[in-house]
């Protein structure tokens, strides 16, 4: 709940905001000794969205990743007017430790212009919300969670999914990428009806690279390090795929290329 300086972009049409969630709740913003996903919140992400709406934006491109949080996007939704109540009807607090307290979701005070907004989410992971491959077990340890915290966070995500199923009729666990950025993927997909997209695919589509390649003799792309992760869907692979479809050769430049192991 400490304020940070964050920036976002608005494209030339004046209606599309480009937000990287890590600008508001990123891991580098929290000193290593203070990292604790039981306490960190995505509220700043919601504040950025609300600010962009105030600037006339109704389309959003959101980059998921690099967060210090594991609150399933509850903080973001609280900043946008959603209220999450415990069994006594009180608002739950911020952070991952609030997930297990949520009993009811109140949408009566949601930002009035939010329903007219369109969200496209750049997400390159398919982790579910909870479970062995979920947000807590896979990502929370690097955010400062102890083994005991990981168990508690995972159970909180499970309980939150149960409330969402009962209140909204949506199964968060069935959403690919729901566990991205500590569960922000689930919040965007279920509450804001966002479209989950490959990060590189979304960016290349938005900048019109396919059309720009027409008539090119060859394409130059690059990355800091070309390795196995590149082939999992990073930018050079997306560029190469578009060029290959048009029969255009591709040259890739990199700061480092690991040697292939010899067997």
């Amino acid at each position: 709940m400490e304020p940070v300086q964050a920036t976002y972009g608005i494209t030339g049409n004046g209606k599309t905001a480009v937000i990287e969630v890590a600008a508001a709740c990123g891991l580098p913003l929290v000193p290593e000794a203070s990292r604790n996903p039981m306490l960190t919140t995505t509220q700043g992400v919601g504040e950025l969205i609300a600010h962009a709406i105030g600037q006339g934006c109704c389309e959003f491109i959101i980059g998921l990743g690099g967060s210090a949080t594991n609150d399933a996007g509850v903080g973001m939704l609280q900043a946008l007017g959603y209220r999450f109540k415990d069994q006594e009807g009180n608002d739950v607090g911020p952070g991952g430790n609030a997930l297990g307290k949520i009993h009811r979701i109140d949408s009566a005070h949601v930002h009035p212009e939010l329903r007219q907004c369109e969200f496209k989410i750049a997400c390159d992971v398919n982790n579910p919300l909870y479970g062995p491959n979920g947000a807590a077990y896979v990502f929370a340890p690097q955010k400062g969670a102890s083994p005991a915290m990981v168990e508690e966070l995972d159970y909180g995500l499970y309980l939150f999914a149960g409330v969402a199923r009962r209140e909204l009729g949506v199964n968060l666990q069935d959403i690919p990428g729901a566990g991205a950025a500590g569960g922000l993927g689930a919040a965007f997909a279920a509450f804001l009806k966002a479209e989950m997209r490959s990060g590189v695919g979304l960016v290349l589509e938005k900048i019109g690279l396919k059309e720009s390649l027409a008539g090119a003799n060859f394409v130059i792309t690059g990355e800091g390090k070309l390795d196995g992760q590149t082939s999992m869907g990073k930018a050079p692979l997306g560029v190469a795929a578009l060029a290959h479809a048009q029969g255009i050769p591709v040259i890739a430049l990199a700061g480092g290329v690991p040697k292939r192991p010899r067997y």
Side-chain angles (χ1 to χ4, degrees):
M1 295 304 292
E2 295 181 13
V4 299
Q5 292 292 323
T7 60
Y8 66 92
I10 298 178
T11 63
N13 65 10
K15 296 181 180 180
T16 304
V18 183
I19 295 175
E20 175 60 59
V21 302
C25 64
L27 198 57
L29 299 175
V30 185
E32 190 169 349
S34 302
R35 292 175 182 175
N36 185 344
M38 301 293 288
L39 303 176
T40 47
T41 173
T42 55
Q43 179 173 325
V45 179
E47 291 173 347
L48 287 179
I49 292 171
H51 187 276
I53 291 175
Q55 303 302 306
C57 294
C58 56
E59 300 173 355
F60 291 83
I61 297 175
I62 310 287
L64 292 191
S67 78
T69 57
N70 198 111
D71 70 349
V74 166
M76 173 191 74
L77 295 170
Q78 288 170 325
L80 293 172
Y82 282 92
R83 294 181 178 176
F84 297 87
K85 307 285 188 177
D86 61 19
Q87 286 189 322
E88 284 72 44
N90 301 313
D91 289 332
V92 300
N97 60 8
L99 292 173
K101 304 174 185 175
I102 297 173
H103 182 70
R104 188 169 64 85
I105 301 170
D106 180 1
S107 59
H109 304 282
V110 171
H111 194 298
E113 297 178 48
L114 195 60
R115 302 189 192 283
Q116 282 71 52
C117 293
E118 176 184 286
F119 293 86
K120 292 183 179 180
I121 309 303
C123 176
D124 288 327
V125 301
N126 292 315
N127 299 74
L129 184 61
Y130 59 84
N133 297 316
Y137 277 101
V138 174
F139 302 114
Q142 70 193 49
K143 303 176 183 184
S146 66
M149 287 181 188
V150 168
E151 286 192 28
E152 185 174 348
L153 288 167
D154 186 68
Y155 188 54
L157 293 169
Y158 166 78
L159 293 176
F160 177 64
V163 175
R165 185 196 290 267
R166 185 183 72 240
E167 298 271 303
L168 306 176
V170 60
N171 188 346
L172 300 182
Q173 188 70 352
D174 283 350
I175 301 172
L184 260 173
F188 274 111
F191 289 81
L192 304 184
K193 310 303 180 186
E195 178 186 359
M196 305 288 278
R197 297 280 301 277
S198 153
V200 63
L202 179 57
V203 171
L204 297 185
E205 175 188 299
K206 198 66 182 177
I207 66 174
L209 184 64
K210 180 179 178 180
E211 293 74 20
S212 298
L213 291 179
N217 297 105
F218 61 90
V219 177
I220 299 174
T221 185
E223 191 173 18
K225 186 177 183 180
L226 283 170
D227 56 15
Q229 292 190 25
T230 305
S231 64
M232 299 300 291
K234 297 182 77 175
L237 186 71
V239 172
L242 285 178
H244 178 72
Q246 298 187 37
I248 305 171
V250 175
I251 299 171
L253 305 177
V257 181
K259 293 182 178 179
R260 291 185 178 183
R262 295 180 179 177
Y263 297 104

